[in-house]
Amino acid sequence: MTSEEKIRSAFENKDWQEIKVTDSWQIFKIMAEFVDGFEKLAKIGPCVTIYGSARTAETNRYYQLAEQCGKLLTDRGYGVITGGGPGIMEAGNKGAHTNGGKSVGLNIELPFEQFHNKYIDHNKLLEFDYFFVRKVMFMKYSQGFVVLPGGFGTMDELFEALTLIQTGKIARFPIVLLGKDYWGGLIDWIKGTMLQKEHNIHEEDLNLFRLVDTAEEAAEHIFRFYDKYVLKPNF
């Protein structure tokens, strides 16, 4: 079925009974994903999520930084969670796996580019159909985020985390943006336009994240945060 046919099909008239049955089954499927995720991830212990593009090649500098992050985090006893796919996600899992640490993958089936990588522990791979369920798992079971260059999905995860912390819906945890060349322009816009020109955030909101350029700086920021604060559930 083509994209246009899918759109037309979505707008076809459905009777009320058909709508109710479809919605009811969808609720059970969503509940099943939540239950499975909560049961498996409640046992993994403190973990840090590494975000970034599925399209990043192994030869790319940011792939290597993500792999290094995975190793540094597992050196200190943290597990690593990723979206389970290729690119930056694979690199984070690879760093954790080759260093003997916990390597978790929250994979989602997509029509292109997404397939789980081989560096995830066999008993720590979860498959999701719904992005919003998967996002809850990241937020609930991560003690920190290391965000490397990525696309719309990476931006979505980053800004959702910032929003939830800013509004007090989840507990504060460290968010590190790794790669000054990539993130610098965005940070300049946040400061110059979002803050100073339009006053859409407060100045203290800039403290919700840290911009760094090395894997060592990223890992150290997370370690320093938890030297001051006791590990606790995010919500």
Side-chain angles (χ1 to χ4, degrees):
M1 184 180 289
T2 67
S3 296
E4 185 173 347
E5 288 170 339
K6 288 180 180 179
I7 293 172
R8 291 183 180 279
S9 175
F11 282 97
E12 287 178 357
N13 288 329
K14 297 180 175 66
D15 63 42
W16 181 240
Q17 182 61 29
E18 186 179 359
I19 292 171
K20 284 200 301 181
V21 170
T22 302
D23 288 352
S24 296
W25 279 110
Q26 191 171 36
I27 289 169
F28 286 118
K29 190 173 182 181
I30 291 166
M31 288 174 59
E33 288 200 358
F34 274 119
V35 171
D36 188 45
F38 288 164
E39 285 186 345
K40 290 181 179 177
L41 293 174
K43 306 170 186 175
I44 62 172
C47 286
V48 173
T49 291
I50 296 177
Y51 284 120
S53 176
R55 307 182 187 192
T56 304
E58 192 170 354
T59 54
N60 189 294
R61 167 178 174 258
Y62 294 119
Y63 183 104
Q64 294 156 14
L65 283 173
E67 183 178 352
Q68 192 177 0
C69 270
K71 290 180 180 178
L72 291 170
L73 291 166
T74 52
D75 276 342
R76 292 284 290 267
Y78 289 90
V80 169
I81 302 175
T82 79
I88 296 293
M89 295 174 280
E90 175 186 286
N93 286 130
K94 182 179 180 181
H97 179 77
T98 57
N99 204 37
K102 294 177 183 177
S103 182
V104 184
L106 309 185
N107 191 47
I108 191 159
E109 294 295 333
L110 298 176
F112 60 93
E113 88 178 10
Q114 183 78 355
F115 49 88
H116 72 261
N117 68 71
K118 63 183 179 181
Y119 299 105
I120 301 166
D121 296 344
H122 73 277
N123 61 339
K124 296 182 181 67
L125 171 64
L126 285 79
E127 299 281 357
F128 294 90
D129 282 326
Y130 297 98
F131 270 109
F132 70 91
V133 178
R134 180 179 181 240
K135 285 162 73 175
V136 169
M137 301 304 156
F138 283 128
M139 299 293 171
K140 187 173 178 63
Y141 295 105
S142 295
Q143 273 64 57
F145 285 174
V146 177
V147 191
L148 287 103
F152 292 149
T154 302
M155 296 291 182
D156 178 41
E157 300 286 4
L158 168 62
F159 281 102
E160 176 157 358
L162 291 173
T163 300
L164 292 173
I165 294 172
Q166 180 201 48
T167 56
K169 289 298 183 180
I170 63 173
R172 174 83 179 269
F173 63 80
I175 297 174
V176 187
L177 306 183
L178 178 48
K180 290 183 179 180
D181 287 345
Y182 190 85
W183 297 109
L186 175 64
I187 303 307
D188 289 343
W189 177 82
I190 289 173
K191 291 178 178 178
T193 301
M194 190 182 285
L195 173 62
Q196 296 170 2
K197 184 179 179 181
E198 299 296 339
H199 310 292
N200 290 328
I201 59 172
H202 294 297
E203 190 163 359
E204 56 266 29
D205 292 332
L206 299 177
N207 297 324
L208 297 178
F209 59 85
R210 176 68 59 87
L211 178 62
V212 302
D213 214 32
T214 69
E216 289 83 1
E217 289 175 299
E220 190 58 35
H221 178 64
I222 291 169
F223 300 153
R224 284 200 308 269
F225 183 92
Y226 286 112
D227 284 342
K228 295 186 295 182
Y229 300 105
V230 177
L231 288 172
K232 60 182 178 180
N234 295 336
F235 60 85

